[in-house]
Amino acid sequence: MTLLDFARGPALYWSTLIMVCGLVWRLAGVALLPFRPDRSAAGPQSRGRVRGALGTIVSRSLPRRTFLARTFATVVVGYAMHLGLLIILLGGAPHILLVAQATGLSWPSLPKGVVALASAVTLVTLVFVLVRRCTHPVLRLLSNFDDFLSIVLTLVPVATGILLAEETVLPYRTLLTWHILSVEAMMIWLPFGKLSHVVFVFAGRAVSGAKLGKRGATT
Amino acid sequence: MSGMPPSLAPAAKPGAKPATRRVAESRDQADRARLDAAMRGFISDFGPEAAVYMEACLHCGQCAEACQFYVETGDPKYTPIWKIEPFKQAYSREMGPFAPFFRAFGLTPKVTLGELEGWQELLYDSCNMCGRCSLVCPAGIDIADLVEKARHGMFEAGLVPGDYLGALAGKEQETGNPFGISREDVRRALLEIGRSHGVEMHVDEPRAAVVPTVSSIDLKMYPASIAATARVLNHVGASWSFRTDGFDADNVSLTAGDRTGQRLVTEAIVDAATRCGAEVLIMPECGHSYTEMRWEAANTVGHALPFRVLHMSEYLAECLDAGRLKLRPVTPDPEGRGVTFHDPCQLSRRSGRSDAPRKVMAALGLDLHELADHGADSWCCGGGGGVALINRARPLRDKAFAIKRRQVADTGAGTVIVSCTGCRQTFEHGFKDAGGETGVGSLLDLVAGQLEEDGKTP
Ligand code: SF4
Ligand code: SF4
């Protein structure tokens, strides 16, 4: 078995398993805590818990005007990085092919230039985020090992992906191997560290959105 | 990090309790026991919500930009989510879904009592539990709620700032109100306020449809507001009564983190209002006590409340809608500067009722110049969450207040209207400390002065 075979075979299987089980474990660990029913009467402008939760999941993706002057850089970088990742994942032809092989589902890919641009933007923003974590006083205080590891584990797949797509002089199979392995490393770390925000930001929004939505407060 | 140098500490307020520090320093639990107590206090009412918050932080730092303490000082230690850092660490290490993993790899260090002591300033002096940070957080983390839980932990570890917050909370748990006023004295004081302000007072009536609660701070410092309450309730023709068996709207224990005291105060009010068959319980112009009664009391007593809980400005707005409250418009000030309004965080942001005071102001015909950030976006005055009751925090509070002062100045208004006693005090002190000339007025007092009585002016 070559390293590529390993990456495509058992490594993919195990990393997926670890990611899914880890996330389920972590979600269950919080969801199974005793839930205390809220007996307070709803506010006169209540939107109800469910609408509050769903509404906040969407609305918290949009910055509030009052904060924007002070959070502009974070918001722009956040959008650029996440949109970039989304374009690469859903628009890149090799990724679509992978999904098609696994599930039979397929959709048209984006032009190679668009994906290349998105990759470049993502890479640059990831580097910027890394630097900012080391320089901004608040981020320096907050950041821990997990933050840096999570950024690096996102950065490496993007970087190897770019090298792959640009057909450099580097040997294709080696690059592909490392690209897949780096994605798998990210998947393995995902449930344990802050990459789990792919699930928990929405959970957090739902929870506070439900509470404040019932009150009829801004969420 | 904790405590101001004595030279910076403001002089003691007359009439306030001496600096006993008894809550903070008289316990000599072993460090470990105190740490355990802190963690137990923190997680005592931990449900899935709080646990999700613990898992969701991105370390993006945006909450700092929403908090007056960081914005005005630039000190990163005032980053909202950082204020609960030791509790967050202990949670992932001891209780989170991956606790063994975190321990095994040493990913989160052990929390020490010394650290918690250092965090006292962050959890008390520099957090108003105003929830502005909760509104910016992309992960929807209700940091204000976590601070409240962390304060439960700090209380259990004996780490509440003594002057005066801890002392007042201690008194409240002991006697039912923060100044230890006896029932009989409260009754006498209320009747005396009625006499001296020439308004009919109802105290301890066996039946009453409307029961207003009282802030002890109003009782001591703003008796006119208590008279105003009586005047308005008489005007709208309500069957009403103060109840000395459950009146303390302050719930200082809530901000101190003392759950036992908090429960005692809440239960006393619920019992008193239930006993006299109240349909409406009015919380006075007071922020956190309103949140407690409005959103938490039913959970504390374990059943839906048999009456509605309204903030004073909600009640006024309802009476206006029902046509029971008739107001004369105010005479415009000669300089034409108009007024501005400071939204109490707990009513506007945390409860979604910024409309109620505005309805009342419109009925008064006030020339309202809104602050740049108002309604749900409003900045806290800096005194909420018990901060106004921490003696040594005054210089920091004044700093946090600067943003409010600037926004008020930008409106050009001559008066700030407030509808919370805590805000009122903070504004008065803040303007005084900064040497400003802006007036501070209570919405309720204003209303009471503009009642349209049939054929007579009050
Ligand atoms: S609740 Fe208010 S005072 Fe406390 S950290 Fe958040 S923004 Fe700052
Ligand atoms: S804004 Fe929310 S996610 Fe960002 S650092 Fe603060 S608490 Fe964490």
Side-chain angles (χ1 to χ4, degrees), chain B residues 362-383:
Chain B
L364 287 167
L366 288 168
D367 174 21
L368 177 65
H369 300 257
E370 292 279 17
L371 296 168
D373 295 304
H374 59 270
D377 296 329
S378 174
W379 294 87
C380 180
C381 60

Side-chain angles (χ1 to χ4, degrees), chain A residues 56-216:
Chain A
T56 310
I57 286 179
V58 178
S59 69
R60 208 44 84 84
S61 296
L62 310 167
R64 251 183 111 69
R65 183 201 284 266
T66 182
F67 301 121
L68 204 52
R70 298 191 60 97
T71 57
F72 191 74
T74 312
V75 170
V76 169
V77 168
Y79 263 99
M81 183 173 78
H82 287 96
L83 282 178
L85 284 171
L86 206 70
I87 291 173
I88 300 170
L89 270 179
L90 298 182
H95 298 148
I96 299 172
L97 197 65
L98 189 73
V99 175
Q101 279 168 359
T103 65
L105 289 172
S106 183
W107 57 89
S109 64
L110 287 169
K112 225 180 143 197
V114 175
V115 180
L117 183 70
S119 310
V121 169
T122 309
L123 192 70
V124 170
T125 50
L126 280 166
V127 172
F128 177 77
V129 164
L130 205 57
V131 172
R132 199 149 176 263
R133 276 215 179 272
C134 304
T135 52
H136 189 289
V138 168
L139 295 175
R140 254 173 59 181
L141 183 70
L142 291 181
S143 299
N144 55 20
F145 171 73
D146 174 19
D147 292 308
F148 292 106
L149 181 64
S150 298
I151 296 172
V152 171
L153 286 176
T154 315
L155 208 149
V156 178
V158 175
T160 50
I162 291 175
L163 292 176
L164 265 177
E166 296 309 315
E167 291 167 21
T168 50
V169 286
L170 296 165
Y172 182 82
R173 286 180 70 86
T174 316
L175 268 181
L176 184 61
T177 309
W178 288 107
H179 180 63
I180 297 175
L181 284 176
S182 64
V183 171
E184 287 160 354
M186 183 178 78
M187 285 161 65
I188 291 171
W189 179 244
L190 190 138
F192 303 100
K194 69 174 279 189
L195 290 174
S196 67
H197 75 270
V198 293
V199 173
F200 278 98
V201 279
F202 301 111
R205 291 175 188 184
V207 164
S208 58
K211 169 173 143 182
L212 294 170
K214 174 176 176 181
R215 295 182 179 188

Side-chain angles (χ1 to χ4, degrees), chain B residues 63 66-69 78 80 83 126-134 143-144 147:
Chain B
C63 47
C67 177
Q68 53 276 10
F69 291 98
Y78 295 129
K83 295 173 186 172
S126 64
C127 182
N128 302 122
M129 304 202 288
C130 72
R132 202 166 187 274
C133 52
S134 312
I143 305 166
V147 167

Side-chain angles (χ1 to χ4, degrees), chain A residues 142, chain B residues 57-63 81 137-139 141 143:
Chain A
L142 291 181
Chain B
C57 181
L58 306 165
H59 285 173
C60 72
Q62 290 185 75
C63 47
I81 197 70
C137 175
I141 301 173
I143 305 166

